[in-house]
């Protein structure tokens, strides 16, 4: 509505008028530190406005994002994911995607985003086409939709590093993170692979400093 838009503009003006040290995490060296900074100062501020396939809105605060991510991190660590391991994410845009991405980072591991198939009918072929990415990234785990789990498990013979294929519903939202691995600005924040439309997909390493 026009009223809501006006309120949003007024809020943005107030935020921009604040001293920079109160608005931007300039001294954060990693994406994790940036999230911590926001949670400490305004944890209940909305970070994500997500609309699902039914156009229902889901609002996620900084604090909720951190809590969900830490639960995912605890589960990954319990499943044997260690600092430096790569974990592929093949999920549609969803709350679980955000929790997975930050959860992998908090666990000290490296997210590897993979596009999900547009249609479930393409699922098996799509998963098998990404076998090269999983092998090249030496993925220790894959987080994907339940429908893809059985197909992905068959890839383990050609992707020796792949120990686990997980779905979001397997993660325990109440899992507690006991200790965070240390992550620095020089650590890889994620591996971004090219589309592979003109050749084999190639990975680009992006650090937290990047």
């Amino acid at each position: 509505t026009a009223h809501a838009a006006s309120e949003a503009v007024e809020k943005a003006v107030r935020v921009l008028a604040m001293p920079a040290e109160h608005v931007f995490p300039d001294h954060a060296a990693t994406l994790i530190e940036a999230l911590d900074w926001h949670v400490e100062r305004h944890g209940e501020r909305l970070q994500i406005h997500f609309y699902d396939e039914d156009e229902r809105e889901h609002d996620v605060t900084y604090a909720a994002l951190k809590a969900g991510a830490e639960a995912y991190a605890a589960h990954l660590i319990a499943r044997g994911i260690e600092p430096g391991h790569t974990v592929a994410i093949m999920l549609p845009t969803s709350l679980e995607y955000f929790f997975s991405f930050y959860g992998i980072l908090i666990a000290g591991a490296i997210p590897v985003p993979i596009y999900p198939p547009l249609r479930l009918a393409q699922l098996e072929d799509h998963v098998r086409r990404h076998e090269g990415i999983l092998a090249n990234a030496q993925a220790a785990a894959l987080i994907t939709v339940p429908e893809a789990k059985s197909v992905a498990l068959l890839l383990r013979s050609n992707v020796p590093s792949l120990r686990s294929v997980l779905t979001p519903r397997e993660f325990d939202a109440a899992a507690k993170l006991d200790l965070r691995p240390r992550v620095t600005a020089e650590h890889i924040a994620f591996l971004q692979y090219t589309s592979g439309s003109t050749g084999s997909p190639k990975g680009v390493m992006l650090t937290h400093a990047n």
Side-chain angles (χ1 to χ4, degrees), residues 10-131:
E10 289 179 7
K11 183 176 181 180
V13 170
R14 289 196 301 272
V15 169
L16 291 173
M18 296 170 65
E21 62 269 20
H22 297 305
V23 182
F24 305 110
D26 292 336
H27 299 295
T30 67
L31 293 174
I32 303 167
E33 289 180 13
L35 178 58
D36 287 339
W37 185 95
H38 284 290
V39 172
E40 290 168 3
R41 286 160 178 77
H42 38 243
E44 296 311 307
R45 180 180 293 177
L46 294 181
Q47 158 68 346
I48 300 168
H49 295 282
F50 170 70
Y51 292 86
D52 61 24
E53 294 180 352
D54 298 321
E55 294 301 314
R56 292 173 299 190
E57 182 179 3
H58 303 269
D59 293 333
V60 182
T61 64
Y62 285 102
L65 175 59
K66 180 178 178 180
E70 287 190 340
Y72 270 56
H75 187 88
L76 289 169
I77 292 171
R79 293 296 294 262
I81 296 301
E82 299 177 0
H85 281 173
T86 49
V87 179
I89 311 171
M90 192 176 73
L91 294 172
T93 303
S94 57
L95 300 181
E96 293 78 15
Y97 190 101
F98 299 116
F99 295 153
S100 295
F101 189 92
Y102 262 94
I104 294 166
L105 289 179
I106 291 173
I110 303 168
V112 183
I114 298 177
Y115 289 108
L118 294 176
R119 292 181 292 275
L120 288 179
Q122 302 172 327
L123 190 57
E124 182 171 352
D125 181 57
H126 183 85
V127 173
R128 292 189 181 280
R129 284 206 315 272
H130 285 84
E131 182 180 290

